[in-house]
Amino acid sequence: AQSVTQLDSQVPVFEEAPVELRCNYSSSVSVYLFWYVQYPNQGLQLLLKYLSGSTLVKGINGFEAEFNKSQTSFHLRKPSVHISDTAEYFCAVTSDTGRRALTFGSGTRLQVQP
Amino acid sequence: NAGVTQTPKFRVLKTGQSMTLLCAQDMNHEYMYWYRQDPGMGLRLIHYSVGEGTTAKGEVPDGYNVSRLKKQNFLLGLESAAPSQTSVYFCASSQTRDGYTFGSGTRLTVV
């Protein structure tokens, strides 16, 4: 079985500051990792995903994430946030064997303040 | 180019009523999923299907039933709604492990 832990339920940050949203996973097999963003009253939008290869993954809206196998982490970063980045962010994992469904973390609410 | 369509988008039910949520995908995906989203809990898997005519339980299946009679449709049923089933429900589909398409969600309130 796999699981995802998002360590911070809320992250307040000032506009133009850098941000890191933390995600740790547990799985005994090779994993595929995803970050999704959900704006208020909307559905899920894929930010980026790690399948294999380079451990640094770049996504939309200036976000990037780094896969660290030894620390079982997949933290999301942005060097300079905007007010429009205020949203909830979900980390999710699946593996290359077993059930295909994504397992999600509990989410991190990013609050960008002017 | 609809992707995954969920109907209805909103619904209010009284305790004990029944209803069916419909998920339709036009991408010929084999795999389909139903999730519920609750504050502070992320998305939790209710049921899923690995192909037409198949269904399987996820983490929170109690109180729900599903059917996949046609490949493109995945139905989620509530036989006797309870206030604890107030949630936002998302359907998703996939063909490979690297691509999942989500619907826009159904907001269900049980009073």
Side-chain angles (χ1 to χ4, degrees):
Chain A
Q2 53 212 13
S3 65
V4 177
T5 301
Q6 291 185 243
L7 297 165
D8 306 298
S9 59
Q10 295 188 68
V11 173
V13 63
F14 287 107
E15 194 173 17
E16 298 184 6
V19 70
E20 178 179 82
L21 306 184
R22 297 180 292 170
C23 172
N24 286 88
Y25 69 91
S26 67
S27 176
S28 58
V29 295
S30 296
V31 295
Y32 300 163
L33 292 153
F34 302 76
W35 275 100
Y36 287 88
V37 60
Q38 185 180 38
Y39 299 102
N41 298 313
Q42 294 191 24
L44 296 169
Q45 181 180 3
L46 179 67
L47 273 178
L48 49 79
K49 59 186 175 183
Y50 170 79
L51 307 176
S52 65
S54 173
T55 57
L56 183 63
V57 181
K58 294 191 182 295
I60 62 171
N61 301 341
F63 284 94
E64 64 181 32
E66 186 156 18
F67 171 60
N68 188 320
K69 188 174 182 178
S70 62
Q71 297 188 6
T72 60
S73 68
F74 190 53
H75 300 332
L76 182 70
R77 301 185 182 100
K78 187 170 182 177
S80 175
V81 296
H82 303 288
I83 295 286
S84 59
D85 292 322
T86 294
E88 187 140 25
Y89 293 78
F90 294 98
C91 182
V93 65
T94 187
S95 64
D96 60 1
T97 59
R99 193 177 70 189
R100 286 191 178 213
L102 290 171
T103 298
F104 284 85
S106 56
T108 297
R109 180 165 297 279
L110 177 63
Q111 299 166 312
V112 182
Q113 304 163 1
Chain B
N1 203 20
V4 175
T5 302
Q6 292 183 231
T7 51
K9 295 191 184 308
F10 303 94
R11 185 72 185 269
V12 178
L13 281 181
K14 293 183 179 179
T15 297
Q17 286 185 320
S18 63
M19 79 162 294
T20 300
L21 282 66
L22 171 63
C23 176
Q25 53 98 0
D26 61 1
M27 298 165 287
N28 203 35
H29 285 173
E30 287 292 333
Y31 303 86
M32 297 187 74
Y33 317 88
W34 275 108
Y35 290 89
R36 59 176 290 172
Q37 182 184 16
D38 302 292
M41 304 186 77
L43 280 76
R44 293 179 293 167
L45 184 67
I46 306 172
H47 285 281
Y48 64 100
S49 168
V50 301
E52 181 178 312
T54 75
T55 63
K57 294 181 180 180
E59 277 89 39
V60 289
D62 293 344
Y64 304 95
N65 56 75
V66 286
S67 65
R68 184 121 180 250
L69 299 179
K70 294 182 178 181
K71 186 177 185 179
Q72 62 268 34
N73 296 335
F74 195 28
L75 279 64
L76 178 71
L78 287 72
E79 289 188 346
S80 180
S84 60
Q85 295 178 303
T86 293
S87 188
V88 181
Y89 293 85
F90 285 99
C91 177
S93 71
S94 71
Q95 185 63 27
T96 60
R97 292 182 187 270
D98 61 353
Y100 297 80
T101 303
F102 283 84
S104 58
T106 296
R107 188 172 296 273
L108 176 66
T109 302
V110 182
V111 297

